[in-house]
Amino acid sequence: MAKKIGVTMEVGNDGVAVITISNPPVNSLASQIISGLKEKFQDANQRIDVKAIVLTGNGGRFSGGFDINVFQQVHKTGDISLMPEVSVDLVCNLMEDSRKPLVAAVEGLALGGGLELAMACHARVAAPKAQLGLPELTLGVIPGFGGTQRLPRLVGLEKGTDMILLSKSISSEEGLKLGLIDALVPPVDLLSTSRKWALDIACGRKPFLRSLHRTDKIGSLSEARVVLMNARQVAKRIAPNMPQHHACIEVIEDGIIHGGYSGVLKEAKVFKQLVLSDTAKALVHVFFAQRATSKVPNVTDVGLKPRPMKKVAVIGGGLMGSGIATALLLSNIRVVLKEINSEYLLKGIKSVEANLKGLVSRGKLTQDKAGKAFSLLKGVLDYTEFKDVDMVIEAVIENIQLKQKIFKEIEEVCPPNCILASNTSTIDLNVIGEKTNSKDRIVGAHFFSPAHLMTLLEIVRTENTSAQVILDLMALGKAIKKVPVVVGNCIGFAVNRTFFPYTQAAHMLVNLGVDLFRVDSVVTSFGLPLGPFQLGDLAGHGIGIAVKDIYAKAFGDRMFVSPLTELLLKSGRNGKINGRGYYIYEKGSKPKPDSSVLSVVEESRKLTNIMPGGKPISVTDKEIVEMIFFPVVNEACRVLDEGVVIRASDLDVASVLGMSFPSYRGGLLFWADTVGPKYIYERLKRLSETYGAFFKPSRYLEERAMKGMLLSEPKSSRSRL
């Protein structure tokens, strides 16, 4: 039976009206909930038998905030009037300015608009471990129900600004210390304590406090200006290309200078402007795109249930294998780590231990939990322990013969239902599994490095992989806090295939005479955390050499071949691993550009000999962005055309989580659609006329440009999945 959505009010014999929000699973504030709240508060304020009011949420949760589906509707229609009027009509007038005291009874979570409603109450009573926060900036907007004004007044300007800018949630225990929460009680006593508190305010036994009118925690104007100046520096550092952080600080400042109510009015105005911004559209798109990845036709809609994965074997204890093992251990999954000799095994176990220690030192994990996770690891040199594993993940070097040998061996020693997965980043799974008889159990589990930190898991299916195996791996991915994206089987799969032109385009620019450190700087200014050359240093240049031939065989007609990486390795520069690549790496300091690498670059330029008339080309920063990312968009078009992904938005999620493409640009294809397929096509066409086939527009891109269609528009059910 469907749970009833709405707002109810019950008036007890004590004269307390309990207003309850009910909208499972998190009591989100949909339009009908907001209408219901307005109606119930009006009713409670008018009834003579009501002395005080308690606001709470159904099912052990107060409220997870405003219904984000409304943002999506506004973005589709451009109609801002779809946003309900809440901040003044409901929160200020009916709640905070009510003559009857109002207490919030908070359990589970009070996030975004949920916390804003609670802060408009005259007191807040909470159960332990409730999550409190204002995460609106992650969606490109600011709090819109008065949160920018009330939170700093309740917890202090510095803490409040910090919580909003960093979208940091706190526990109700911390909330009590800060003054956001007035009392902490067991869940069983939550309603009774809240009712009594509300009556105590009504009788004058407890103070009748309106958050918006408080100034005791704001400090003097000069102190406030120092806090806000520091906040602006933080915003500049963490969100250089986003408008909402700076807008938020402006709104907070307005309330300090002109008073809380003025701040509320400015907040409502700025909120509506930001809802329609490109940043909000992009971030809301990524939010819904990530949700959509969990829907896989003929897998998640056919009544199958995932099987539990209690014991997983990982073959190979290198960088990837040890990272994968760490991710599994952190979710209480027993791991068998296999290596070929004692030296490599010890190294792999030490890597896992170092990963766990790193999380402890950064405050992400307690020592106790790290110890428990490490105790679930068993290192082995043979297959004896494989007799009862639920899944094997092979994570050895990219060598076809070695992988084929391993898959033949594990097929023989593992249980008949055991999933046989490979962490290969490039090799065709049909080739890896061609010597086995269990092709329905073979699947790609492509993690991204470092595997215990990066959230993307590419699940690669062949035409033979069973739906059950896909579902099991999706469930495992979610259990270990990854975002699984199901993709088709091809060289490089979705992410590495799409982004293989990325490094090559950077190499082409450098061979055309552009400074490599400028290329990195332009790419980081665009929004990626690292430029292509520093990324190469971090990954290790040996990887690029290892997969070069595989890509050349598959995509040779549209590759730019550069000798730069070979020359770099020849000069003893392996990247971060040995302290020197394009940059110099010293412990305890940031990477520094190494000017002595320019002699290696000059040698590469002589060998490629592509500079027009032997002179460096002159390009703007915008042209650098286009020459690097437009070929990537072009390859993404081929990936869409071949049906490698289920939907275009899956590639957006994969680009954000796998390649750190800026989420505030909405992912690769969303950004490309914003730029315009016609413009990208025309630029690539001109570039191909000057620099050759590497830039030649794909058929799919040309077709979309000519028809005036978006790249992300589905044309038909072309997905191979």
Side-chain angles (χ1 to χ4, degrees), residues 16-21 27 41 53-64 95 101-111 114-115 117-128 130-132 172 180-198 201:
V16 176
V18 176
I19 295 174
T20 306
I21 301 164
N27 297 327
F41 278 116
I53 306 162
V54 168
L55 176 64
T56 193
N58 197 21
R61 291 182 172 97
F62 186 76
S63 171
M95 293 177 66
L102 170 54
V103 173
V106 178
E107 191 179 359
L109 46 77
L111 297 173
L115 181 60
L117 291 185
M119 290 191 293
C121 297
H122 307 116
R124 285 148 296 284
V125 178
Q131 193 186 357
L132 316 168
S172 46
L180 180 57
I181 297 299
D182 297 295
L184 208 58
V185 298
V188 69
D189 298 329
L190 185 62
L191 270 183
S192 59
T193 305
S194 300
R195 296 177 91 114
K196 185 175 183 309
W197 200 292
I201 298 174

Side-chain angles (χ1 to χ4, degrees), residues 430-489:
N430 288 324
V431 174
I432 289 173
E434 77 179 22
K435 296 186 176 170
T436 70
N437 299 312
S438 308
K439 295 181 174 56
D440 60 327
R441 293 192 278 147
I442 292 175
V443 67
H446 180 215
F447 291 80
F448 289 73
S449 184
H452 62 297
L453 300 177
M454 294 290 278
T455 50
L456 181 65
L457 171 60
E458 248 184 338
I459 297 177
V460 189
R461 72 188 295 185
T462 71
E463 59 277 13
N464 298 309
T465 311
S466 78
Q468 184 66 57
V469 164
I470 299 292
L471 190 70
D472 292 344
L473 192 46
M474 286 177 74
L476 177 78
K478 285 174 185 169
I480 62 173
K481 299 177 174 61
K482 304 295 177 200
V483 176
V485 176
V486 177
V487 302
N489 179 35

Side-chain angles (χ1 to χ4, degrees), residues 308-600:
M309 299 285 131
K310 292 175 183 170
K311 185 178 178 183
V312 177
V314 178
I315 301 176
L319 179 70
M320 287 307 299
S322 60
I324 294 165
T326 307
L328 293 162
L329 294 167
L330 287 168
S331 293
N332 296 318
I333 295 165
R334 285 189 296 144
V335 175
V336 177
L337 184 65
K338 183 186 179 298
E339 259 297 356
I340 52 168
N341 60 43
S342 302
E343 184 195 342
Y344 283 3
L345 182 59
L346 189 63
K347 210 172 167 185
I349 289 169
K350 281 197 181 315
S351 293
V352 172
E353 194 173 18
N355 289 340
L356 293 168
K357 278 182 179 168
L359 291 168
V360 171
S361 68
R362 292 198 300 278
K364 306 277 184 191
L365 192 66
T366 64
Q367 189 64 58
D368 184 45
K369 282 183 179 167
K372 191 182 174 219
F374 192 61
S375 72
L376 297 170
L377 178 67
K378 183 169 188 178
V380 298
L381 296 171
D382 59 31
Y383 289 120
T384 314
E385 283 286 334
F386 281 53
K387 63 182 182 296
D388 61 346
V389 294
D390 300 303
M391 180 188 292
V392 179
I393 301 173
E394 165 275 306
V396 302
I397 57 168
E398 295 288 69
N399 178 302
I400 291 170
Q401 287 74 30
L402 176 60
K403 287 180 189 282
Q404 286 179 334
K405 177 177 175 286
I406 288 168
F407 269 73
K408 187 78 188 121
E409 289 168 353
I410 58 177
E411 182 186 35
E412 288 167 12
V413 297
C414 293
N417 290 326
C418 174
I419 295 170
L420 311 177
S422 173
N423 178 56
T424 180
S425 57
T426 43
I427 304 169
D428 186 324
L429 287 170
N430 288 324
V431 174
I432 289 173
E434 77 179 22
K435 296 186 176 170
T436 70
N437 299 312
S438 308
K439 295 181 174 56
D440 60 327
R441 293 192 278 147
I442 292 175
V443 67
H446 180 215
F447 291 80
F448 289 73
S449 184
H452 62 297
L453 300 177
M454 294 290 278
T455 50
L456 181 65
L457 171 60
E458 248 184 338
I459 297 177
V460 189
R461 72 188 295 185
T462 71
E463 59 277 13
N464 298 309
T465 311
S466 78
Q468 184 66 57
V469 164
I470 299 292
L471 190 70
D472 292 344
L473 192 46
M474 286 177 74
L476 177 78
K478 285 174 185 169
I480 62 173
K481 299 177 174 61
K482 304 295 177 200
V483 176
V485 176
V486 177
V487 302
N489 179 35
C490 65
I491 300 298
F493 316 128
V495 177
N496 286 351
R497 159 80 185 277
T498 298
F499 278 84
F500 91 81
Y502 173 69
T503 306
Q504 291 180 21
H507 278 236
M508 182 185 275
L509 277 164
V510 167
N511 281 291
L512 283 165
V514 181
D515 175 58
L516 77 90
F517 301 116
R518 183 185 169 206
V519 170
D520 270 3
S521 173
V522 168
V523 169
T524 53
S525 294
F526 177 75
L528 276 76
L530 301 172
F533 295 102
Q534 197 181 339
L535 182 66
D537 272 0
L538 191 66
H541 296 289
I543 291 174
I545 299 294
V547 300
K548 187 178 167 186
D549 291 344
I550 297 169
Y551 280 117
K553 198 174 168 186
F555 314 121
D557 60 328
R558 57 178 187 272
M559 279 180 68
F560 172 70
V561 180
S562 161
L564 186 51
T565 306
E566 281 97 334
L567 292 169
L568 196 73
L569 288 167
K570 202 169 146 191
S571 70
R573 298 165 181 272
N574 294 355
K576 192 181 178 184
I577 198 164
N578 77 335
R580 176 161 281 193
Y582 297 106
Y583 294 77
I584 295 167
Y585 299 85
E586 288 165 353
K587 211 169 180 182
S589 63
K590 286 182 178 176
K592 295 184 195 78
D594 186 359
S595 56
S596 69
V597 81
L598 299 179
S599 59
V600 180

Side-chain angles (χ1 to χ4, degrees), residues 92-381:
C92 285
N93 297 348
L94 289 172
M95 293 177 66
E96 194 166 49
D97 290 346
S98 164
R99 285 174 290 104
K100 295 175 182 179
L102 170 54
V103 173
V106 178
E107 191 179 359
L109 46 77
L111 297 173
L115 181 60
E116 290 178 287
L117 291 185
M119 290 191 293
C121 297
H122 307 116
R124 285 148 296 284
V125 178
K129 296 186 172 60
Q131 193 186 357
L132 316 168
L134 296 176
E136 284 87 347
L137 272 73
T138 60
L139 291 171
V141 296
I142 62 172
F145 299 172
T148 61
Q149 305 305 309
R150 292 186 182 88
L151 187 63
R153 283 168 169 75
L154 287 168
V155 302
L157 182 60
E158 191 171 353
K159 181 66 183 177
T161 306
D162 182 60
M163 279 177 68
I164 300 171
L165 286 189
L166 302 178
S167 296
K168 275 201 310 202
S169 62
I170 59 169
S171 66
S172 46
E173 285 79 358
E174 192 181 344
L176 181 67
K177 287 178 195 163
L178 292 167
L180 180 57
I181 297 299
D182 297 295
L184 208 58
V185 298
V188 69
D189 298 329
L190 185 62
L191 270 183
S192 59
T193 305
S194 300
R195 296 177 91 114
K196 185 175 183 309
W197 200 292
L199 287 169
D200 281 351
I201 298 174
C203 299
R205 288 191 291 268
K206 281 190 171 24
F208 202 132
L209 297 171
R210 292 182 170 90
S211 309
L212 198 60
H213 300 182
R214 288 180 62 175
T215 54
D216 52 301
K217 291 190 178 179
I218 296 293
S220 69
L221 196 54
S222 59
E223 286 169 332
R225 284 201 162 119
V226 171
V227 171
L228 295 176
M229 185 178 72
N230 293 337
R232 284 187 173 95
Q233 291 305 313
V234 171
K236 202 172 172 184
R237 178 172 50 81
I238 64 169
N241 297 334
M242 290 189 265
Q244 69 271 31
H245 295 71
H246 289 285
C248 186
I249 297 166
E250 296 291 325
V251 168
I252 292 170
E253 187 170 49
D254 183 279
I256 289 165
I257 296 168
H258 302 295
Y261 191 69
S262 171
V264 163
L265 295 178
K266 175 147 186 169
E267 178 196 84
K269 185 183 170 190
V270 171
F271 174 80
K272 284 188 174 178
Q273 289 167 353
L274 287 169
V275 168
L276 292 170
S277 69
D278 289 344
T279 303
K281 288 173 186 171
L283 289 166
V284 169
H285 167 75
V286 171
F287 177 87
F288 283 105
Q290 193 166 314
R291 274 190 180 178
T293 59
S294 62
K295 294 181 175 73
V296 180
N298 303 316
V299 172
T300 57
D301 56 358
V302 290
L304 293 172
K305 287 198 161 48
R307 298 170 295 185
M309 299 285 131
K310 292 175 183 170
K311 185 178 178 183
V312 177
V314 178
I315 301 176
L319 179 70
M320 287 307 299
S322 60
I324 294 165
T326 307
L328 293 162
L329 294 167
L330 287 168
S331 293
N332 296 318
I333 295 165
R334 285 189 296 144
V335 175
V336 177
L337 184 65
K338 183 186 179 298
E339 259 297 356
I340 52 168
N341 60 43
S342 302
E343 184 195 342
Y344 283 3
L345 182 59
L346 189 63
K347 210 172 167 185
I349 289 169
K350 281 197 181 315
S351 293
V352 172
E353 194 173 18
N355 289 340
L356 293 168
K357 278 182 179 168
L359 291 168
V360 171
S361 68
R362 292 198 300 278
K364 306 277 184 191
L365 192 66
T366 64
Q367 189 64 58
D368 184 45
K369 282 183 179 167
K372 191 182 174 219
F374 192 61
S375 72
L376 297 170
L377 178 67
K378 183 169 188 178
V380 298
L381 296 171

Side-chain angles (χ1 to χ4, degrees), residues 61-76:
R61 291 182 172 97
F62 186 76
S63 171
F66 185 64
D67 181 6
I68 300 165
N69 290 295
V70 180
F71 289 156
Q72 206 178 32
Q73 288 305 312
V74 171
H75 294 158
K76 276 179 188 167

